[in-house]
């Protein structure tokens, strides 16, 4: 592991995640999926992330066109990351989005996240299309 890489695992250590660098910012979203999973998200391109271990994917059922599948450890059920749904990825393949994978940054040691900006998007009010609005000002960890 290089000095800039950071790594974490789920509670039972069956799923391991290695990131090339800490994220520039982390989102603490208040939508039902993020709140119920207890996740806060750092964003990466899929090819930048190394995830090992078996996960179970969940695609939310409360949206007509869900954008992500949440992944959890098959053993301890800790939420580890999300990936874009195949339908959403296919519809948006030419957008050159800056990321396509969200990593649950709660799995990482707090010290590894010092200096990251923590943002608070209002996911409850988000329509899934327009840019987020924020429920309060960001902070630096």
């Amino acid at each position: 592991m290089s000095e800039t890489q950071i790594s974490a695992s789920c509670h039972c250590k069956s799923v391991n995640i290695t990131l090339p660098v800490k994220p520039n910012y982390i989102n603490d979203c208040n939508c039902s999926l993020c709140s119920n999973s207890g996740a806060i998200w750092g964003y990466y391109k899929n090819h930048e992330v190394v995830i090992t271990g078996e996960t179970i994917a969940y695609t939310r059922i409360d949206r007509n066109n869900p954008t992500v599948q949440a992944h959890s450890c098959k053993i301890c059920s800790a939420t580890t990351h999300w990936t874009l749904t195949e339908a959403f990825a296919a519809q948006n393949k030419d957008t050159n989005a800056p990321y396509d994978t969200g990593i649950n940054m709660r799995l990482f040691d707090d010290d590894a996240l010092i200096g990251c900006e923590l943002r608070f998007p209002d996911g409850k009010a988000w329509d899934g299309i327009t840019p987020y609005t924020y429920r309060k000002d960001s902070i630096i960890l």
Side-chain angles (χ1 to χ4, degrees), residues 95-115:
T95 63
N96 207 13
Y99 56 82
D100 54 16
T101 302
I103 302 297
N104 183 1
M105 301 310 295
R106 288 203 193 277
L107 300 177
F108 291 79
D109 187 90
D110 290 345
D111 290 342
L113 304 178
I114 291 173

Side-chain angles (χ1 to χ4, degrees), residues 13-68:
K13 306 211 182 312
S14 294
V15 177
N16 297 285
I17 300 171
T18 300
L19 305 175
V21 294
K22 64 183 170 183
N24 292 326
Y25 66 91
I26 300 166
N27 274 346
D28 182 356
C29 179
N30 66 344
C31 79
S32 60
L33 181 64
C34 296
S35 295
N36 289 339
S37 67
I40 58 174
W41 305 108
Y43 303 96
Y44 295 87
K45 293 296 268 182
N46 189 43
H47 69 271
E48 298 174 314
V49 177
V50 177
I51 301 172
T52 60
E54 273 192 82
T55 62
I56 298 170
Y58 167 75
T59 303
R60 57 188 309 160
I61 58 173
D62 62 335
R63 303 276 173 139
N64 290 333
N65 297 307
T67 57
V68 301

Side-chain angles (χ1 to χ4, degrees), residues 50-135:
V50 177
I51 301 172
T52 60
E54 273 192 82
T55 62
I56 298 170
Y58 167 75
T59 303
R60 57 188 309 160
I61 58 173
D62 62 335
R63 303 276 173 139
N64 290 333
N65 297 307
T67 57
V68 301
Q69 283 187 319
H71 292 258
S72 300
C73 173
K74 193 171 184 176
I75 297 171
C76 70
S77 300
T79 300
T80 55
H81 65 290
W82 61 253
T83 56
L84 296 177
T85 60
E86 287 184 28
F88 185 80
Q91 289 173 343
N92 295 281
K93 67 181 175 188
D94 297 324
T95 63
N96 207 13
Y99 56 82
D100 54 16
T101 302
I103 302 297
N104 183 1
M105 301 310 295
R106 288 203 193 277
L107 300 177
F108 291 79
D109 187 90
D110 290 345
D111 290 342
L113 304 178
I114 291 173
C116 291
E117 179 183 8
L118 180 59
R119 298 177 181 177
F120 301 92
D122 189 0
K124 283 184 183 178
W126 188 48
D127 62 10
I129 299 167
T130 58
Y132 285 129
T133 58
Y134 292 86
R135 59 191 198 276

